[in-house]
Amino acid sequence: MPNSTPAAAPAIPRVTVLLATHNGARWIDEQLDTILAQTGVEVRVIALDDASTDTTVALLEARAASDPRLTILTDPTPAGGAAANFYRLLRRVDFTDAGLVAFADQDDVWLPGKLARHAELLAAGADGVSSDVTAFSEGGPRELVRKSYPQREFDYLLESPGPGCTFLMSNRLVTLAQQQLADPESDASRADFHDWLLYVLCRARGWNWVIDDAPSVDYRQHGSNAMGANLGAASAKRRLGLIGNRWHRGEATLLARAGLAVASDSTRPGLERMLDLFERTGPSGRVALLGVAGQLRRRSRDRAIIGTLVALGIW
C-alpha cells in the first residue's frame, strides 16, 4: 500500500537584514517597502542609526510600531561612517537564530525575489552571494554595473564582489566576521569597507562566493553615497587618487593579514605569499608581484591596468 503521508514542505529560509542608516529619511520608506515585500523568505530587519539629524529615526520607529519584523537598535555614540555602523551591527546582533544574513543600505530599491534567488544560490554550495546592480539617479539614465566577471585566485584582496547591498551570507560566515570584529587584536575592525572585508573572510576561509549576473538591486546614485557605483570620470579620478597615495595597497595588505587570521590550510600558503609581496618594496618585489597581477582583478581591463601600475611602481 503506498505511503499516503504528504511530503513535508521545504523550509522557508529565514533572513535577517542588517540596515545601517544615517540621514536617510528621503528614501528609507521605499527601501523598507522593497525589503519587507520579499517573497519566498521569512524576513526581519534590524536597523541601527548613526546619529541622524533628520527624521530617519522617527520614520523607523513608526514602521517598527506597525510591523514587528523591524527591530531598532540604538547607540548614542556616532559610528562615523557606514562601515563602522555595519561593524557595530555585526558585533551586537545575536546570530544564533538569525538564519541567513543580508546587508541593506537606506536608499536603494530591492528587486522582487532578490532574497529567494540568492538563498537558492547559497543552498547550492556557497557562503556568500552578491550580484550585478543597475545604477540610477533621479531623472538620469539607468546603467548596468557588472561585477560578475569570473573570479580570480586573489581578486578578493583588491576588490569587493559588488555593493554590500546585494550581499546574502551564511550564518557561519557572519559569525566568523563577528568573532574577528570582537577581537581587538584583529585587523578586521580596521578595514575601511565592510563588504570587501566579508568577501576576504569568506574566500580566505576557503568557502565559496557566487557573484550573480542577474541584477538584484536598483542602486541609487546621489551626492551622499558612501562609495557609489564607480561610474564616470570623477569616480576614475578618485580611484586613481587612492592608488597614487598608496591607500589601496595598504588596504590590500591589511586585508591579507585579516584573511590569514581565518585562512584554511589550502589558502594559507597563497595568502602568505601575497602578503609578502604586498609588503616588499624595490624592483625585485615589483617583478614578483607583476607575475601574479593577472590574479588580482576579475575584469580583463582591470588586470591590465593593475599590471601596468605595478610595473611603473605606482601601485
Side-chain angles (χ1 to χ4, degrees), residues 222-239:
H222 54 83
S224 299
N225 284 109
M227 184 49 129
N230 291 333
L231 298 172
S235 177
K237 182 179 179 180
R238 181 176 68 244
R239 294 197 304 276

PDB file of all heavy atoms in Angstrom, residues 222-239:
ATOM      1  N   HIS A 222      23.619  59.277  -5.663  1.00  0.00           N
ATOM      2  CA  HIS A 222      23.361  60.656  -5.261  1.00  0.00           C
ATOM      3  C   HIS A 222      24.591  61.186  -4.540  1.00  0.00           C
ATOM      4  O   HIS A 222      25.565  60.455  -4.318  1.00  0.00           O
ATOM      5  CB  HIS A 222      22.113  60.749  -4.379  1.00  0.00           C
ATOM      6  CG  HIS A 222      22.138  59.836  -3.187  1.00  0.00           C
ATOM      7  ND1 HIS A 222      22.771  60.154  -2.017  1.00  0.00           N
ATOM      8  CD2 HIS A 222      21.621  58.589  -3.004  1.00  0.00           C
ATOM      9  CE1 HIS A 222      22.626  59.169  -1.152  1.00  0.00           C
ATOM     10  NE2 HIS A 222      21.945  58.201  -1.722  1.00  0.00           N
ATOM     11  N   GLY A 223      24.552  62.429  -4.155  1.00  0.00           N
ATOM     12  CA  GLY A 223      25.734  63.082  -3.603  1.00  0.00           C
ATOM     13  C   GLY A 223      26.202  62.543  -2.273  1.00  0.00           C
ATOM     14  O   GLY A 223      27.342  62.788  -1.880  1.00  0.00           O
ATOM     15  N   SER A 224      25.337  61.782  -1.568  1.00  0.00           N
ATOM     16  CA  SER A 224      25.705  61.295  -0.244  1.00  0.00           C
ATOM     17  C   SER A 224      26.100  59.829  -0.230  1.00  0.00           C
ATOM     18  O   SER A 224      26.266  59.259   0.848  1.00  0.00           O
ATOM     19  CB  SER A 224      24.527  61.512   0.725  1.00  0.00           C
ATOM     20  OG  SER A 224      24.211  62.885   0.828  1.00  0.00           O
ATOM     21  N   ASN A 225      26.253  59.193  -1.395  1.00  0.00           N
ATOM     22  CA  ASN A 225      26.683  57.797  -1.412  1.00  0.00           C
ATOM     23  C   ASN A 225      28.011  57.617  -0.690  1.00  0.00           C
ATOM     24  O   ASN A 225      28.943  58.412  -0.887  1.00  0.00           O
ATOM     25  CB  ASN A 225      26.873  57.287  -2.849  1.00  0.00           C
ATOM     26  CG  ASN A 225      25.556  56.990  -3.546  1.00  0.00           C
ATOM     27  OD1 ASN A 225      25.188  57.717  -4.445  1.00  0.00           O
ATOM     28  ND2 ASN A 225      24.866  55.945  -3.137  1.00  0.00           N
ATOM     29  N   ALA A 226      28.105  56.556   0.112  1.00  0.00           N
ATOM     30  CA  ALA A 226      29.372  56.281   0.797  1.00  0.00           C
ATOM     31  C   ALA A 226      30.458  55.935  -0.207  1.00  0.00           C
ATOM     32  O   ALA A 226      31.611  56.295  -0.042  1.00  0.00           O
ATOM     33  CB  ALA A 226      29.185  55.143   1.799  1.00  0.00           C
ATOM     34  N   MET A 227      30.114  55.219  -1.278  1.00  0.00           N
ATOM     35  CA  MET A 227      31.098  54.871  -2.290  1.00  0.00           C
ATOM     36  C   MET A 227      30.537  55.067  -3.692  1.00  0.00           C
ATOM     37  O   MET A 227      31.145  55.681  -4.530  1.00  0.00           O
ATOM     38  CB  MET A 227      31.582  53.419  -2.111  1.00  0.00           C
ATOM     39  CG  MET A 227      32.698  53.033  -3.084  1.00  0.00           C
ATOM     40  SD  MET A 227      34.023  54.259  -3.102  1.00  0.00           S
ATOM     41  CE  MET A 227      35.444  53.253  -2.875  1.00  0.00           C
ATOM     42  N   GLY A 228      29.353  54.547  -3.943  1.00  0.00           N
ATOM     43  CA  GLY A 228      28.761  54.706  -5.261  1.00  0.00           C
ATOM     44  C   GLY A 228      29.156  53.600  -6.206  1.00  0.00           C
ATOM     45  O   GLY A 228      29.837  52.640  -5.847  1.00  0.00           O
ATOM     46  N   ALA A 229      28.719  53.753  -7.440  1.00  0.00           N
ATOM     47  CA  ALA A 229      28.828  52.671  -8.424  1.00  0.00           C
ATOM     48  C   ALA A 229      30.127  52.681  -9.213  1.00  0.00           C
ATOM     49  O   ALA A 229      30.306  51.881 -10.121  1.00  0.00           O
ATOM     50  CB  ALA A 229      27.642  52.735  -9.389  1.00  0.00           C
ATOM     51  N   ASN A 230      31.040  53.631  -8.924  1.00  0.00           N
ATOM     52  CA  ASN A 230      32.320  53.705  -9.648  1.00  0.00           C
ATOM     53  C   ASN A 230      32.122  53.907 -11.141  1.00  0.00           C
ATOM     54  O   ASN A 230      32.721  53.228 -11.974  1.00  0.00           O
ATOM     55  CB  ASN A 230      33.164  52.448  -9.398  1.00  0.00           C
ATOM     56  CG  ASN A 230      33.671  52.372  -7.973  1.00  0.00           C
ATOM     57  OD1 ASN A 230      33.835  53.392  -7.331  1.00  0.00           O
ATOM     58  ND2 ASN A 230      33.901  51.173  -7.482  1.00  0.00           N
ATOM     59  N   LEU A 231      31.236  54.849 -11.473  1.00  0.00           N
ATOM     60  CA  LEU A 231      30.979  55.160 -12.867  1.00  0.00           C
ATOM     61  C   LEU A 231      31.487  56.564 -13.185  1.00  0.00           C
ATOM     62  O   LEU A 231      31.400  57.472 -12.370  1.00  0.00           O
ATOM     63  CB  LEU A 231      29.464  55.095 -13.164  1.00  0.00           C
ATOM     64  CG  LEU A 231      28.789  53.739 -12.971  1.00  0.00           C
ATOM     65  CD1 LEU A 231      27.275  53.892 -13.112  1.00  0.00           C
ATOM     66  CD2 LEU A 231      29.312  52.712 -13.963  1.00  0.00           C
ATOM     67  N   GLY A 232      32.014  56.745 -14.397  1.00  0.00           N
ATOM     68  CA  GLY A 232      32.362  58.070 -14.872  1.00  0.00           C
ATOM     69  C   GLY A 232      33.771  58.503 -14.522  1.00  0.00           C
ATOM     70  O   GLY A 232      34.510  57.869 -13.787  1.00  0.00           O
ATOM     71  N   ALA A 233      34.126  59.690 -15.083  1.00  0.00           N
ATOM     72  CA  ALA A 233      35.483  60.206 -14.954  1.00  0.00           C
ATOM     73  C   ALA A 233      35.814  60.593 -13.516  1.00  0.00           C
ATOM     74  O   ALA A 233      36.936  60.384 -13.046  1.00  0.00           O
ATOM     75  CB  ALA A 233      35.657  61.409 -15.874  1.00  0.00           C
ATOM     76  N   ALA A 234      34.841  61.172 -12.808  1.00  0.00           N
ATOM     77  CA  ALA A 234      35.105  61.591 -11.427  1.00  0.00           C
ATOM     78  C   ALA A 234      35.436  60.394 -10.549  1.00  0.00           C
ATOM     79  O   ALA A 234      36.334  60.450  -9.699  1.00  0.00           O
ATOM     80  CB  ALA A 234      33.900  62.338 -10.872  1.00  0.00           C
ATOM     81  N   SER A 235      34.709  59.296 -10.761  1.00  0.00           N
ATOM     82  CA  SER A 235      34.978  58.089  -9.984  1.00  0.00           C
ATOM     83  C   SER A 235      36.356  57.528 -10.314  1.00  0.00           C
ATOM     84  O   SER A 235      37.100  57.108  -9.429  1.00  0.00           O
ATOM     85  CB  SER A 235      33.902  57.036 -10.257  1.00  0.00           C
ATOM     86  OG  SER A 235      34.190  55.848  -9.579  1.00  0.00           O
ATOM     87  N   ALA A 236      36.709  57.520 -11.603  1.00  0.00           N
ATOM     88  CA  ALA A 236      38.026  57.017 -12.004  1.00  0.00           C
ATOM     89  C   ALA A 236      39.137  57.865 -11.390  1.00  0.00           C
ATOM     90  O   ALA A 236      40.156  57.336 -10.927  1.00  0.00           O
ATOM     91  CB  ALA A 236      38.140  57.021 -13.529  1.00  0.00           C
ATOM     92  N   LYS A 237      38.937  59.173 -11.359  1.00  0.00           N
ATOM     93  CA  LYS A 237      39.937  60.062 -10.762  1.00  0.00           C
ATOM     94  C   LYS A 237      40.092  59.772  -9.277  1.00  0.00           C
ATOM     95  O   LYS A 237      41.207  59.755  -8.743  1.00  0.00           O
ATOM     96  CB  LYS A 237      39.525  61.520 -10.982  1.00  0.00           C
ATOM     97  CG  LYS A 237      40.523  62.526 -10.435  1.00  0.00           C
ATOM     98  CD  LYS A 237      40.072  63.955 -10.717  1.00  0.00           C
ATOM     99  CE  LYS A 237      41.061  64.964 -10.153  1.00  0.00           C
ATOM    100  NZ  LYS A 237      40.618  66.363 -10.421  1.00  0.00           N
ATOM    101  N   ARG A 238      38.966  59.531  -8.589  1.00  0.00           N
ATOM    102  CA  ARG A 238      39.028  59.229  -7.162  1.00  0.00           C
ATOM    103  C   ARG A 238      39.780  57.927  -6.913  1.00  0.00           C
ATOM    104  O   ARG A 238      40.615  57.844  -6.007  1.00  0.00           O
ATOM    105  CB  ARG A 238      37.609  59.123  -6.588  1.00  0.00           C
ATOM    106  CG  ARG A 238      37.589  58.842  -5.083  1.00  0.00           C
ATOM    107  CD  ARG A 238      36.176  58.841  -4.528  1.00  0.00           C
ATOM    108  NE  ARG A 238      35.397  57.721  -5.015  1.00  0.00           N
ATOM    109  CZ  ARG A 238      34.320  57.813  -5.762  1.00  0.00           C
ATOM    110  NH1 ARG A 238      33.885  59.005  -6.142  1.00  0.00           N
ATOM    111  NH2 ARG A 238      33.656  56.741  -6.149  1.00  0.00           N
ATOM    112  N   ARG A 239      39.509  56.908  -7.736  1.00  0.00           N
ATOM    113  CA  ARG A 239      40.178  55.625  -7.549  1.00  0.00           C
ATOM    114  C   ARG A 239      41.672  55.730  -7.813  1.00  0.00           C
ATOM    115  O   ARG A 239      42.486  55.129  -7.099  1.00  0.00           O
ATOM    116  CB  ARG A 239      39.553  54.557  -8.463  1.00  0.00           C
ATOM    117  CG  ARG A 239      38.107  54.233  -8.110  1.00  0.00           C
ATOM    118  CD  ARG A 239      37.657  52.924  -8.737  1.00  0.00           C
ATOM    119  NE  ARG A 239      37.814  52.895 -10.174  1.00  0.00           N
ATOM    120  CZ  ARG A 239      36.937  53.388 -11.029  1.00  0.00           C
ATOM    121  NH1 ARG A 239      35.837  53.983 -10.606  1.00  0.00           N
ATOM    122  NH2 ARG A 239      37.144  53.303 -12.331  1.00  0.00           N
TER     123      ARG A 239
END
